[in-house]
Amino acid sequence: MTESTFSTALTKVNDSFFPMIEKQLTGNGIKMDNYSKQCVLTAISSINNVLDSKGITWNDADLDKNNITQILISVASLKLNAAASPREVYFQTRNVSVKKQGTDDVVWKKQIEMGIEGDGNDAILSNFGRDVQSVAQIWLVRSEDAFTYPSFRGLKLEPPTWSPTGKGEVVRVVYPVIKKNNTVEYHISEREDVIKNLVAHINNNMMNETFGIAQNRFKATFDEKKKIAKKKSEVLSKVKAVGLAALDEEEFAKWISPAWKDPQSRESMLIRKMRNNVTKRIPKDFGNAFVEMNYEASVDEGFASARQEITDNANDEIIDVDYEDSTTNSYTDQPETEQYESQEEVKEESQSEKEPVKTTPANDEPPF
């Protein structure tokens, strides 16, 4: 007599994804330790909750399972825990238009998107920061606090000082980072620098904007595209000139997500951006090119889009990838290293249109 084993649908999902994730990580020279497995489990559970809330099943034919596999690989390799509090990573659904293979027909697919939260960047910094021993308690400096910037006497660093009052808005974030040689670095991000993140956010949300010049961006002629690009440039220049006050300007409201505008979430968003601007600029050593690639894909949508474009279309079209300048100050007793930062995008919108891309055969779609 054979004993039947009870298993839930989520257990079957775990059993289907785990071997694939472990095989791909092992194939790239990465050992999947117990914490990585825990991260994958919590990620699958969180994704399941997102799908349930949208009425989507794992067997939904419109669900892009290849995309989920890639997300789980990123979660495992970067060791991001979806069950941590505060959150390190979040998931959301997005409808994406894709072109059917061999035809001009466009269909809508449902994709899961992963975003790294502020504490997720802290976890990555602690796990992969180059020569980082630990990250001390971060400083959230408010406008009415007493604060002095660090200074140098030759090679000797005078640390910054901070006397918290708890009053006023957070104007800067300071990360004291303890290195393995017991030196301390102070990385500072200013509130006013978040305007560059906001400009990137608006620029992303204007992806499909035509200002009435063309029916849509895909059907726009060359001259129409030039006019659209000029209008976008004018809007972004206005935003830069206005600064963070642009969050209250009705003129830009349609391109700004509620998480940026709403009073209950605006301050959290600005602080999170300041923290991200700090952590993303501190050098990291992932020890494996595959892990580094997953990190870049997780934090840089331009990089991910470019890689997907190359994979699907053999790089047969021009790929536009925008980057933004440095926004963070670092004070250390070590020589300053020039850093390169890519554009950061935030996806608060649950639904948007992307440029059609060709689909690839889902060879490794797990059966449920």
Side-chain angles (χ1 to χ4, degrees):
M1 180 177 177
T2 304
E3 293 186 2
S4 60
T5 303
F6 175 76
S7 61
T8 65
L10 193 56
T11 303
K12 293 179 180 177
V13 172
N14 291 336
D15 293 342
S16 300
F17 275 110
F18 252 109
M20 283 190 300
I21 305 302
E22 190 162 19
K23 181 180 178 182
Q24 293 207 35
L25 290 178
T26 303
N28 285 280
I30 303 170
K31 184 179 179 181
M32 194 171 179
D33 58 23
N34 290 333
Y35 189 69
S36 292
K37 292 177 181 178
Q38 179 185 342
C39 291
V40 172
L41 274 175
T42 57
I44 290 176
S45 180
S46 295
I47 291 172
N48 187 64
N49 291 337
V50 171
L51 294 178
D52 277 348
S53 67
K54 298 293 183 182
I56 305 170
T57 69
W58 290 89
N59 289 320
D60 196 317
D62 294 334
L63 180 64
D64 186 349
K65 298 183 183 68
N66 286 330
N67 166 257
I68 294 178
T69 302
Q70 182 58 43
I71 284 177
L72 294 178
I73 290 173
S74 297
V75 165
S77 59
L78 297 174
K79 300 184 178 182
L80 295 171
N81 190 347
S85 180
R87 293 195 306 178
E88 295 179 353
V89 61
Y90 68 90
F91 306 98
Q92 63 186 16
T93 58
R94 176 180 288 266
N95 290 336
V96 181
S97 60
V98 297
K99 188 179 291 185
K100 295 177 69 174
Q101 255 187 337
T103 72
D104 291 331
D105 296 337
V106 174
V107 297
W108 288 92
K109 300 284 286 186
K110 300 181 187 302
Q111 279 191 349
I112 291 291
E113 280 194 351
M114 182 188 84
I116 300 177
E117 299 272 30
D119 286 80
N121 283 316
D122 289 355
I124 291 173
L125 175 60
S126 297
N127 290 328
F128 302 103
R130 183 183 299 162
D131 298 327
V132 171
Q133 176 178 291
S134 63
V135 180
Q137 179 66 44
I138 64 170
W139 302 0
L140 298 180
V141 182
R142 297 182 178 274
S143 58
E144 297 190 26
D145 294 349
F147 177 81
T148 60
Y149 286 93
S151 61
F152 283 91
R153 290 180 181 272
L155 294 179
K156 185 179 179 182
L157 172 68
E158 293 290 337
T161 63
W162 175 42
S163 299
T165 63
K167 299 178 181 177
E169 61 187 16
V170 176
V171 293
R172 66 184 59 87
V173 173
V174 181
Y175 269 67
V177 179
I178 304 171
K179 306 301 288 286
K180 290 180 179 176
N181 60 2
N182 291 323
T183 60
V184 181
E185 295 180 349
Y186 297 92
H187 297 266
I188 302 175
S189 178
E190 304 287 346
R191 184 186 186 93
E192 60 190 25
D193 292 333
V194 178
I195 184 60
K196 295 181 180 179
N197 301 93
L198 178 61
V199 169
H201 172 69
I202 293 176
N203 186 40
N204 181 66
N205 284 349
M206 287 199 300
M207 181 184 298
N208 296 314
E209 182 63 71
T210 64
F211 304 97
I213 295 173
Q215 183 178 351
N216 62 55
R217 71 186 178 102
F218 304 121
K219 296 182 179 178
T221 63
F222 179 75
D223 288 338
E224 289 172 338
K225 287 181 178 178
K226 287 179 63 177
K227 292 178 181 177
I228 292 171
K230 184 179 179 182
K231 290 284 291 182
K232 286 183 178 180
S233 179
E234 290 174 356
V235 170
L236 296 178
S237 295
K238 285 184 181 179
V239 174
K240 289 178 184 176
V242 173
L244 292 180
L247 294 172
D248 296 317
E249 295 285 342
E250 189 62 30
E251 179 182 0
F252 312 118
K254 63 179 178 180
W255 300 301
I256 302 176
S257 299
W260 280 87
K261 294 184 297 184
D262 293 348
Q264 67 271 18
S265 59
R266 176 185 301 189
E267 190 65 15
S268 297
M269 174 64 80
L270 295 178
I271 293 173
R272 192 172 81 187
K273 289 302 174 189
M274 282 187 274
R275 293 178 63 178
N276 289 349
N277 288 342
V278 172
T279 56
K280 288 170 65 177
R281 292 194 52 76
I282 298 176
K284 300 173 185 66
D285 182 3
F286 294 96
N288 186 295
F290 181 72
V291 180
E292 181 183 8
M293 185 176 65
N294 284 327
Y295 172 72
E296 295 293 343
S298 300
V299 300
D300 182 356
E301 190 199 7
F303 178 90
S305 300
R307 192 178 60 172
Q308 184 69 38
E309 184 79 8
I310 292 169
T311 301
D312 293 343
N313 299 321
N315 201 19
D316 57 358
E317 292 182 6
I318 295 175
I319 302 168
D320 292 325
V321 182
D322 296 326
Y323 296 95
E324 67 180 42
D325 298 330
S326 166
T327 60
T328 309
N329 299 321
S330 299
Y331 301 89
T332 76
D333 53 0
Q334 303 295 322
E336 185 173 350
T337 304
E338 183 178 357
Q339 294 300 310
Y340 178 73
E341 185 177 24
S342 58
Q343 172 179 319
E344 178 186 13
E345 305 286 357
V346 179
K347 298 286 178 281
E348 290 82 15
E349 298 292 347
S350 61
Q351 188 174 31
S352 70
E353 184 182 9
K354 286 184 175 179
E355 187 168 0
V357 296
K358 294 176 183 176
T359 57
T360 53
N363 295 327
D364 55 351
E365 285 191 7
F368 304 120

